[in-house]
Amino acid sequence: MKSRTIAVISAHPDDEILGAGGTLIKHRENGDKIIWIIGTEINERIGFSPERVEKRRLEIQEVSNKLKAVTYLLGFDTMSLTGLDLPKIINKVSKIFQKEKPEIIYCLNRSDAHSDHRILFDAVMSCTKSFRYPFIRKVLMYECISETEFAPQLQENMFIPNYFVNISSHLEEKLKLMQVYSSEIEAPPFPRSLENIKALARYRGSTINQDYAEAFQVVKIINE
């Protein structure tokens, strides 16, 4: 299989591993170029300690190195995105897409409980118009445990998994990557526990007769 350029978008570091970690590992093993776009950041100005800010910087660096990803930090304050930020986010994402020309986009689910996720989804979708970004052939939304399942399951915006990736051989590395974000993990029944991340992968795997899988919802696939 020839190598491709793919882009994964996180509102916050750890979204990418929760939703698509095993899939990203498969892309790395295929020799694909991984573009990782992180929408928000923590900083001292909004109340985070210098130690926590530095820890987060090191977490991003470690995950980026292990995925062999090219990482872009958009730099917006965490837990603060609103519709007013959309023009600036769209401008930044558009420039990255035009520079890197990703073929596949992995994006947050449009109806996640966290508003940062929803705003970033809207911005990314503005950067997938085929007449302006003809190199994009596939756009997929990923589910983010602790956000996707807590969103209102209304008919018009619920997450409907219809695209699956077998990650049976990559689950253990996915869990190790998640452990880099140690402050985001707690014991069950907390959703972002290693046990529940594994349980979701087992459940998604059962849908396709595999041990473990990640599920996505198709936004667009263009076949020639």
mmCIF file with all atom_site columns, all heavy atoms in Angstrom, residues 151-171:
data_model
loop_
_atom_site.group_PDB
_atom_site.id
_atom_site.type_symbol
_atom_site.label_atom_id
_atom_site.label_alt_id
_atom_site.label_comp_id
_atom_site.label_asym_id
_atom_site.label_entity_id
_atom_site.label_seq_id
_atom_site.pdbx_PDB_ins_code
_atom_site.Cartn_x
_atom_site.Cartn_y
_atom_site.Cartn_z
_atom_site.occupancy
_atom_site.B_iso_or_equiv
_atom_site.pdbx_formal_charge
_atom_site.auth_seq_id
_atom_site.auth_comp_id
_atom_site.auth_asym_id
_atom_site.auth_atom_id
_atom_site.pdbx_PDB_model_num
ATOM 1   N N   . ALA A 1 151 ? -22.969 13.099 24.942 1.00 0.00 ? 151 ALA A N   1
ATOM 2   C CA  . ALA A 1 151 ? -23.715 14.092 24.169 1.00 0.00 ? 151 ALA A CA  1
ATOM 3   C C   . ALA A 1 151 ? -25.175 13.666 24.088 1.00 0.00 ? 151 ALA A C   1
ATOM 4   O O   . ALA A 1 151 ? -25.484 12.472 24.144 1.00 0.00 ? 151 ALA A O   1
ATOM 5   C CB  . ALA A 1 151 ? -23.132 14.219 22.770 1.00 0.00 ? 151 ALA A CB  1
ATOM 6   N N   . PRO A 1 152 ? -26.105 14.606 23.967 1.00 0.00 ? 152 PRO A N   1
ATOM 7   C CA  . PRO A 1 152 ? -27.515 14.237 23.807 1.00 0.00 ? 152 PRO A CA  1
ATOM 8   C C   . PRO A 1 152 ? -27.710 13.358 22.580 1.00 0.00 ? 152 PRO A C   1
ATOM 9   O O   . PRO A 1 152 ? -27.334 13.741 21.475 1.00 0.00 ? 152 PRO A O   1
ATOM 10  C CB  . PRO A 1 152 ? -28.217 15.589 23.638 1.00 0.00 ? 152 PRO A CB  1
ATOM 11  C CG  . PRO A 1 152 ? -27.282 16.596 24.210 1.00 0.00 ? 152 PRO A CG  1
ATOM 12  C CD  . PRO A 1 152 ? -25.913 16.067 23.963 1.00 0.00 ? 152 PRO A CD  1
ATOM 13  N N   . GLN A 1 153 ? -28.262 12.191 22.759 1.00 0.00 ? 153 GLN A N   1
ATOM 14  C CA  . GLN A 1 153 ? -28.435 11.253 21.644 1.00 0.00 ? 153 GLN A CA  1
ATOM 15  C C   . GLN A 1 153 ? -29.713 11.574 20.875 1.00 0.00 ? 153 GLN A C   1
ATOM 16  O O   . GLN A 1 153 ? -30.677 10.804 20.844 1.00 0.00 ? 153 GLN A O   1
ATOM 17  C CB  . GLN A 1 153 ? -28.427 9.818  22.161 1.00 0.00 ? 153 GLN A CB  1
ATOM 18  C CG  . GLN A 1 153 ? -27.096 9.394  22.754 1.00 0.00 ? 153 GLN A CG  1
ATOM 19  C CD  . GLN A 1 153 ? -25.957 9.459  21.737 1.00 0.00 ? 153 GLN A CD  1
ATOM 20  O OE1 . GLN A 1 153 ? -25.981 8.743  20.745 1.00 0.00 ? 153 GLN A OE1 1
ATOM 21  N NE2 . GLN A 1 153 ? -24.969 10.287 21.977 1.00 0.00 ? 153 GLN A NE2 1
ATOM 22  N N   . LEU A 1 154 ? -29.709 12.741 20.286 1.00 0.00 ? 154 LEU A N   1
ATOM 23  C CA  . LEU A 1 154 ? -30.834 13.188 19.485 1.00 0.00 ? 154 LEU A CA  1
ATOM 24  C C   . LEU A 1 154 ? -30.690 12.651 18.064 1.00 0.00 ? 154 LEU A C   1
ATOM 25  O O   . LEU A 1 154 ? -29.571 12.517 17.547 1.00 0.00 ? 154 LEU A O   1
ATOM 26  C CB  . LEU A 1 154 ? -30.908 14.712 19.473 1.00 0.00 ? 154 LEU A CB  1
ATOM 27  C CG  . LEU A 1 154 ? -30.956 15.376 20.859 1.00 0.00 ? 154 LEU A CG  1
ATOM 28  C CD1 . LEU A 1 154 ? -30.903 16.896 20.723 1.00 0.00 ? 154 LEU A CD1 1
ATOM 29  C CD2 . LEU A 1 154 ? -32.202 14.949 21.625 1.00 0.00 ? 154 LEU A CD2 1
ATOM 30  N N   . GLN A 1 155 ? -31.780 12.384 17.430 1.00 0.00 ? 155 GLN A N   1
ATOM 31  C CA  . GLN A 1 155 ? -31.750 11.736 16.120 1.00 0.00 ? 155 GLN A CA  1
ATOM 32  C C   . GLN A 1 155 ? -30.915 12.508 15.104 1.00 0.00 ? 155 GLN A C   1
ATOM 33  O O   . GLN A 1 155 ? -30.220 11.923 14.278 1.00 0.00 ? 155 GLN A O   1
ATOM 34  C CB  . GLN A 1 155 ? -33.180 11.559 15.604 1.00 0.00 ? 155 GLN A CB  1
ATOM 35  C CG  . GLN A 1 155 ? -33.259 10.819 14.266 1.00 0.00 ? 155 GLN A CG  1
ATOM 36  C CD  . GLN A 1 155 ? -34.700 10.580 13.846 1.00 0.00 ? 155 GLN A CD  1
ATOM 37  O OE1 . GLN A 1 155 ? -35.620 10.949 14.562 1.00 0.00 ? 155 GLN A OE1 1
ATOM 38  N NE2 . GLN A 1 155 ? -34.895 9.968  12.696 1.00 0.00 ? 155 GLN A NE2 1
ATOM 39  N N   . GLU A 1 156 ? -30.973 13.827 15.189 1.00 0.00 ? 156 GLU A N   1
ATOM 40  C CA  . GLU A 1 156 ? -30.315 14.624 14.154 1.00 0.00 ? 156 GLU A CA  1
ATOM 41  C C   . GLU A 1 156 ? -28.808 14.745 14.330 1.00 0.00 ? 156 GLU A C   1
ATOM 42  O O   . GLU A 1 156 ? -28.107 15.193 13.424 1.00 0.00 ? 156 GLU A O   1
ATOM 43  C CB  . GLU A 1 156 ? -30.938 16.025 14.082 1.00 0.00 ? 156 GLU A CB  1
ATOM 44  C CG  . GLU A 1 156 ? -30.692 16.894 15.312 1.00 0.00 ? 156 GLU A CG  1
ATOM 45  C CD  . GLU A 1 156 ? -31.736 16.711 16.393 1.00 0.00 ? 156 GLU A CD  1
ATOM 46  O OE1 . GLU A 1 156 ? -32.475 15.703 16.343 1.00 0.00 ? 156 GLU A OE1 1
ATOM 47  O OE2 . GLU A 1 156 ? -31.822 17.566 17.284 1.00 0.00 ? 156 GLU A OE2 1
ATOM 48  N N   . ASN A 1 157 ? -28.276 14.376 15.493 1.00 0.00 ? 157 ASN A N   1
ATOM 49  C CA  . ASN A 1 157 ? -26.827 14.558 15.651 1.00 0.00 ? 157 ASN A CA  1
ATOM 50  C C   . ASN A 1 157 ? -26.130 13.438 16.410 1.00 0.00 ? 157 ASN A C   1
ATOM 51  O O   . ASN A 1 157 ? -25.000 13.607 16.840 1.00 0.00 ? 157 ASN A O   1
ATOM 52  C CB  . ASN A 1 157 ? -26.523 15.901 16.325 1.00 0.00 ? 157 ASN A CB  1
ATOM 53  C CG  . ASN A 1 157 ? -27.070 15.995 17.748 1.00 0.00 ? 157 ASN A CG  1
ATOM 54  O OD1 . ASN A 1 157 ? -27.636 15.032 18.266 1.00 0.00 ? 157 ASN A OD1 1
ATOM 55  N ND2 . ASN A 1 157 ? -26.884 17.137 18.384 1.00 0.00 ? 157 ASN A ND2 1
ATOM 56  N N   . MET A 1 158 ? -26.755 12.297 16.558 1.00 0.00 ? 158 MET A N   1
ATOM 57  C CA  . MET A 1 158 ? -26.113 11.208 17.287 1.00 0.00 ? 158 MET A CA  1
ATOM 58  C C   . MET A 1 158 ? -24.982 10.584 16.461 1.00 0.00 ? 158 MET A C   1
ATOM 59  O O   . MET A 1 158 ? -24.971 10.663 15.231 1.00 0.00 ? 158 MET A O   1
ATOM 60  C CB  . MET A 1 158 ? -27.134 10.146 17.685 1.00 0.00 ? 158 MET A CB  1
ATOM 61  C CG  . MET A 1 158 ? -27.801 9.446  16.525 1.00 0.00 ? 158 MET A CG  1
ATOM 62  S SD  . MET A 1 158 ? -29.194 8.404  17.062 1.00 0.00 ? 158 MET A SD  1
ATOM 63  C CE  . MET A 1 158 ? -28.354 7.242  18.140 1.00 0.00 ? 158 MET A CE  1
ATOM 64  N N   . PHE A 1 159 ? -24.007 9.999  17.149 1.00 0.00 ? 159 PHE A N   1
ATOM 65  C CA  . PHE A 1 159 ? -22.890 9.329  16.494 1.00 0.00 ? 159 PHE A CA  1
ATOM 66  C C   . PHE A 1 159 ? -23.361 7.969  15.982 1.00 0.00 ? 159 PHE A C   1
ATOM 67  O O   . PHE A 1 159 ? -23.871 7.146  16.748 1.00 0.00 ? 159 PHE A O   1
ATOM 68  C CB  . PHE A 1 159 ? -21.735 9.151  17.486 1.00 0.00 ? 159 PHE A CB  1
ATOM 69  C CG  . PHE A 1 159 ? -20.516 8.481  16.892 1.00 0.00 ? 159 PHE A CG  1
ATOM 70  C CD1 . PHE A 1 159 ? -19.638 9.195  16.105 1.00 0.00 ? 159 PHE A CD1 1
ATOM 71  C CD2 . PHE A 1 159 ? -20.251 7.137  17.153 1.00 0.00 ? 159 PHE A CD2 1
ATOM 72  C CE1 . PHE A 1 159 ? -18.506 8.588  15.561 1.00 0.00 ? 159 PHE A CE1 1
ATOM 73  C CE2 . PHE A 1 159 ? -19.129 6.527  16.620 1.00 0.00 ? 159 PHE A CE2 1
ATOM 74  C CZ  . PHE A 1 159 ? -18.258 7.253  15.826 1.00 0.00 ? 159 PHE A CZ  1
ATOM 75  N N   . ILE A 1 160 ? -23.202 7.736  14.681 1.00 0.00 ? 160 ILE A N   1
ATOM 76  C CA  . ILE A 1 160 ? -23.635 6.485  14.057 1.00 0.00 ? 160 ILE A CA  1
ATOM 77  C C   . ILE A 1 160 ? -22.412 5.799  13.459 1.00 0.00 ? 160 ILE A C   1
ATOM 78  O O   . ILE A 1 160 ? -21.956 6.163  12.367 1.00 0.00 ? 160 ILE A O   1
ATOM 79  C CB  . ILE A 1 160 ? -24.692 6.739  12.967 1.00 0.00 ? 160 ILE A CB  1
ATOM 80  C CG1 . ILE A 1 160 ? -25.883 7.507  13.552 1.00 0.00 ? 160 ILE A CG1 1
ATOM 81  C CG2 . ILE A 1 160 ? -25.157 5.422  12.355 1.00 0.00 ? 160 ILE A CG2 1
ATOM 82  C CD1 . ILE A 1 160 ? -26.888 7.950  12.516 1.00 0.00 ? 160 ILE A CD1 1
ATOM 83  N N   . PRO A 1 161 ? -21.822 4.830  14.146 1.00 0.00 ? 161 PRO A N   1
ATOM 84  C CA  . PRO A 1 161 ? -20.619 4.176  13.626 1.00 0.00 ? 161 PRO A CA  1
ATOM 85  C C   . PRO A 1 161 ? -20.928 3.352  12.384 1.00 0.00 ? 161 PRO A C   1
ATOM 86  O O   . PRO A 1 161 ? -21.807 2.494  12.401 1.00 0.00 ? 161 PRO A O   1
ATOM 87  C CB  . PRO A 1 161 ? -20.170 3.282  14.800 1.00 0.00 ? 161 PRO A CB  1
ATOM 88  C CG  . PRO A 1 161 ? -21.414 3.045  15.595 1.00 0.00 ? 161 PRO A CG  1
ATOM 89  C CD  . PRO A 1 161 ? -22.235 4.288  15.455 1.00 0.00 ? 161 PRO A CD  1
ATOM 90  N N   . ASN A 1 162 ? -20.210 3.638  11.311 1.00 0.00 ? 162 ASN A N   1
ATOM 91  C CA  . ASN A 1 162 ? -20.429 2.895  10.065 1.00 0.00 ? 162 ASN A CA  1
ATOM 92  C C   . ASN A 1 162 ? -19.127 2.643  9.304  1.00 0.00 ? 162 ASN A C   1
ATOM 93  O O   . ASN A 1 162 ? -19.152 2.269  8.127  1.00 0.00 ? 162 ASN A O   1
ATOM 94  C CB  . ASN A 1 162 ? -21.449 3.619  9.172  1.00 0.00 ? 162 ASN A CB  1
ATOM 95  C CG  . ASN A 1 162 ? -21.078 5.063  8.879  1.00 0.00 ? 162 ASN A CG  1
ATOM 96  O OD1 . ASN A 1 162 ? -19.944 5.495  9.147  1.00 0.00 ? 162 ASN A OD1 1
ATOM 97  N ND2 . ASN A 1 162 ? -22.016 5.832  8.345  1.00 0.00 ? 162 ASN A ND2 1
ATOM 98  N N   . TYR A 1 163 ? -18.012 2.821  9.979  1.00 0.00 ? 163 TYR A N   1
ATOM 99  C CA  . TYR A 1 163 ? -16.694 2.576  9.381  1.00 0.00 ? 163 TYR A CA  1
ATOM 100 C C   . TYR A 1 163 ? -15.805 2.080  10.521 1.00 0.00 ? 163 TYR A C   1
ATOM 101 O O   . TYR A 1 163 ? -15.700 2.742  11.560 1.00 0.00 ? 163 TYR A O   1
ATOM 102 C CB  . TYR A 1 163 ? -16.140 3.875  8.796  1.00 0.00 ? 163 TYR A CB  1
ATOM 103 C CG  . TYR A 1 163 ? -14.845 3.750  8.035  1.00 0.00 ? 163 TYR A CG  1
ATOM 104 C CD1 . TYR A 1 163 ? -14.823 3.722  6.640  1.00 0.00 ? 163 TYR A CD1 1
ATOM 105 C CD2 . TYR A 1 163 ? -13.621 3.704  8.708  1.00 0.00 ? 163 TYR A CD2 1
ATOM 106 C CE1 . TYR A 1 163 ? -13.624 3.644  5.942  1.00 0.00 ? 163 TYR A CE1 1
ATOM 107 C CE2 . TYR A 1 163 ? -12.422 3.619  8.012  1.00 0.00 ? 163 TYR A CE2 1
ATOM 108 C CZ  . TYR A 1 163 ? -12.420 3.582  6.637  1.00 0.00 ? 163 TYR A CZ  1
ATOM 109 O OH  . TYR A 1 163 ? -11.234 3.504  5.946  1.00 0.00 ? 163 TYR A OH  1
ATOM 110 N N   . PHE A 1 164 ? -15.198 0.915  10.346 1.00 0.00 ? 164 PHE A N   1
ATOM 111 C CA  . PHE A 1 164 ? -14.481 0.281  11.451 1.00 0.00 ? 164 PHE A CA  1
ATOM 112 C C   . PHE A 1 164 ? -13.056 -0.072 11.030 1.00 0.00 ? 164 PHE A C   1
ATOM 113 O O   . PHE A 1 164 ? -12.816 -0.457 9.883  1.00 0.00 ? 164 PHE A O   1
ATOM 114 C CB  . PHE A 1 164 ? -15.205 -0.988 11.900 1.00 0.00 ? 164 PHE A CB  1
ATOM 115 C CG  . PHE A 1 164 ? -16.596 -0.743 12.419 1.00 0.00 ? 164 PHE A CG  1
ATOM 116 C CD1 . PHE A 1 164 ? -17.675 -0.632 11.539 1.00 0.00 ? 164 PHE A CD1 1
ATOM 117 C CD2 . PHE A 1 164 ? -16.832 -0.600 13.774 1.00 0.00 ? 164 PHE A CD2 1
ATOM 118 C CE1 . PHE A 1 164 ? -18.961 -0.395 12.003 1.00 0.00 ? 164 PHE A CE1 1
ATOM 119 C CE2 . PHE A 1 164 ? -18.114 -0.371 14.255 1.00 0.00 ? 164 PHE A CE2 1
ATOM 120 C CZ  . PHE A 1 164 ? -19.181 -0.254 13.368 1.00 0.00 ? 164 PHE A CZ  1
ATOM 121 N N   . VAL A 1 165 ? -12.125 0.061  11.973 1.00 0.00 ? 165 VAL A N   1
ATOM 122 C CA  . VAL A 1 165 ? -10.727 -0.295 11.733 1.00 0.00 ? 165 VAL A CA  1
ATOM 123 C C   . VAL A 1 165 ? -10.313 -1.335 12.767 1.00 0.00 ? 165 VAL A C   1
ATOM 124 O O   . VAL A 1 165 ? -10.444 -1.109 13.982 1.00 0.00 ? 165 VAL A O   1
ATOM 125 C CB  . VAL A 1 165 ? -9.810  0.939  11.841 1.00 0.00 ? 165 VAL A CB  1
ATOM 126 C CG1 . VAL A 1 165 ? -8.344  0.527  11.680 1.00 0.00 ? 165 VAL A CG1 1
ATOM 127 C CG2 . VAL A 1 165 ? -10.185 1.977  10.792 1.00 0.00 ? 165 VAL A CG2 1
ATOM 128 N N   . ASN A 1 166 ? -9.841  -2.463 12.299 1.00 0.00 ? 166 ASN A N   1
ATOM 129 C CA  . ASN A 1 166 ? -9.371  -3.528 13.185 1.00 0.00 ? 166 ASN A CA  1
ATOM 130 C C   . ASN A 1 166 ? -8.055  -3.092 13.843 1.00 0.00 ? 166 ASN A C   1
ATOM 131 O O   . ASN A 1 166 ? -7.062  -2.845 13.155 1.00 0.00 ? 166 ASN A O   1
ATOM 132 C CB  . ASN A 1 166 ? -9.160  -4.811 12.369 1.00 0.00 ? 166 ASN A CB  1
ATOM 133 C CG  . ASN A 1 166 ? -8.630  -5.960 13.202 1.00 0.00 ? 166 ASN A CG  1
ATOM 134 O OD1 . ASN A 1 166 ? -8.591  -5.901 14.433 1.00 0.00 ? 166 ASN A OD1 1
ATOM 135 N ND2 . ASN A 1 166 ? -8.226  -7.032 12.531 1.00 0.00 ? 166 ASN A ND2 1
ATOM 136 N N   . ILE A 1 167 ? -8.065  -2.977 15.178 1.00 0.00 ? 167 ILE A N   1
ATOM 137 C CA  . ILE A 1 167 ? -6.841  -2.580 15.894 1.00 0.00 ? 167 ILE A CA  1
ATOM 138 C C   . ILE A 1 167 ? -6.377  -3.668 16.860 1.00 0.00 ? 167 ILE A C   1
ATOM 139 O O   . ILE A 1 167 ? -5.688  -3.386 17.840 1.00 0.00 ? 167 ILE A O   1
ATOM 140 C CB  . ILE A 1 167 ? -7.036  -1.246 16.654 1.00 0.00 ? 167 ILE A CB  1
ATOM 141 C CG1 . ILE A 1 167 ? -8.108  -1.366 17.739 1.00 0.00 ? 167 ILE A CG1 1
ATOM 142 C CG2 . ILE A 1 167 ? -7.364  -0.119 15.668 1.00 0.00 ? 167 ILE A CG2 1
ATOM 143 C CD1 . ILE A 1 167 ? -8.078  -0.223 18.757 1.00 0.00 ? 167 ILE A CD1 1
ATOM 144 N N   . SER A 1 168 ? -6.763  -4.918 16.575 1.00 0.00 ? 168 SER A N   1
ATOM 145 C CA  . SER A 1 168 ? -6.444  -6.014 17.493 1.00 0.00 ? 168 SER A CA  1
ATOM 146 C C   . SER A 1 168 ? -4.951  -6.115 17.788 1.00 0.00 ? 168 SER A C   1
ATOM 147 O O   . SER A 1 168 ? -4.553  -6.407 18.918 1.00 0.00 ? 168 SER A O   1
ATOM 148 C CB  . SER A 1 168 ? -6.956  -7.342 16.910 1.00 0.00 ? 168 SER A CB  1
ATOM 149 O OG  . SER A 1 168 ? -8.357  -7.294 16.709 1.00 0.00 ? 168 SER A OG  1
ATOM 150 N N   . SER A 1 169 ? -4.130  -5.861 16.788 1.00 0.00 ? 169 SER A N   1
ATOM 151 C CA  . SER A 1 169 ? -2.678  -5.960 16.971 1.00 0.00 ? 169 SER A CA  1
ATOM 152 C C   . SER A 1 169 ? -2.069  -4.675 17.525 1.00 0.00 ? 169 SER A C   1
ATOM 153 O O   . SER A 1 169 ? -0.852  -4.625 17.766 1.00 0.00 ? 169 SER A O   1
ATOM 154 C CB  . SER A 1 169 ? -2.006  -6.295 15.631 1.00 0.00 ? 169 SER A CB  1
ATOM 155 O OG  . SER A 1 169 ? -2.470  -7.536 15.134 1.00 0.00 ? 169 SER A OG  1
ATOM 156 N N   . HIS A 1 170 ? -2.891  -3.661 17.741 1.00 0.00 ? 170 HIS A N   1
ATOM 157 C CA  . HIS A 1 170 ? -2.362  -2.358 18.136 1.00 0.00 ? 170 HIS A CA  1
ATOM 158 C C   . HIS A 1 170 ? -2.989  -1.803 19.415 1.00 0.00 ? 170 HIS A C   1
ATOM 159 O O   . HIS A 1 170 ? -2.648  -0.697 19.840 1.00 0.00 ? 170 HIS A O   1
ATOM 160 C CB  . HIS A 1 170 ? -2.583  -1.353 17.000 1.00 0.00 ? 170 HIS A CB  1
ATOM 161 C CG  . HIS A 1 170 ? -1.986  -1.813 15.698 1.00 0.00 ? 170 HIS A CG  1
ATOM 162 N ND1 . HIS A 1 170 ? -2.698  -2.538 14.779 1.00 0.00 ? 170 HIS A ND1 1
ATOM 163 C CD2 . HIS A 1 170 ? -0.746  -1.668 15.179 1.00 0.00 ? 170 HIS A CD2 1
ATOM 164 C CE1 . HIS A 1 170 ? -1.913  -2.815 13.743 1.00 0.00 ? 170 HIS A CE1 1
ATOM 165 N NE2 . HIS A 1 170 ? -0.736  -2.302 13.954 1.00 0.00 ? 170 HIS A NE2 1
ATOM 166 N N   . LEU A 1 171 ? -3.874  -2.581 20.021 1.00 0.00 ? 171 LEU A N   1
ATOM 167 C CA  . LEU A 1 171 ? -4.558  -2.076 21.220 1.00 0.00 ? 171 LEU A CA  1
ATOM 168 C C   . LEU A 1 171 ? -3.594  -1.804 22.358 1.00 0.00 ? 171 LEU A C   1
ATOM 169 O O   . LEU A 1 171 ? -3.685  -0.766 23.037 1.00 0.00 ? 171 LEU A O   1
ATOM 170 C CB  . LEU A 1 171 ? -5.641  -3.052 21.679 1.00 0.00 ? 171 LEU A CB  1
ATOM 171 C CG  . LEU A 1 171 ? -6.351  -2.610 22.962 1.00 0.00 ? 171 LEU A CG  1
ATOM 172 C CD1 . LEU A 1 171 ? -7.237  -1.403 22.693 1.00 0.00 ? 171 LEU A CD1 1
ATOM 173 C CD2 . LEU A 1 171 ? -7.154  -3.749 23.577 1.00 0.00 ? 171 LEU A CD2 1
#
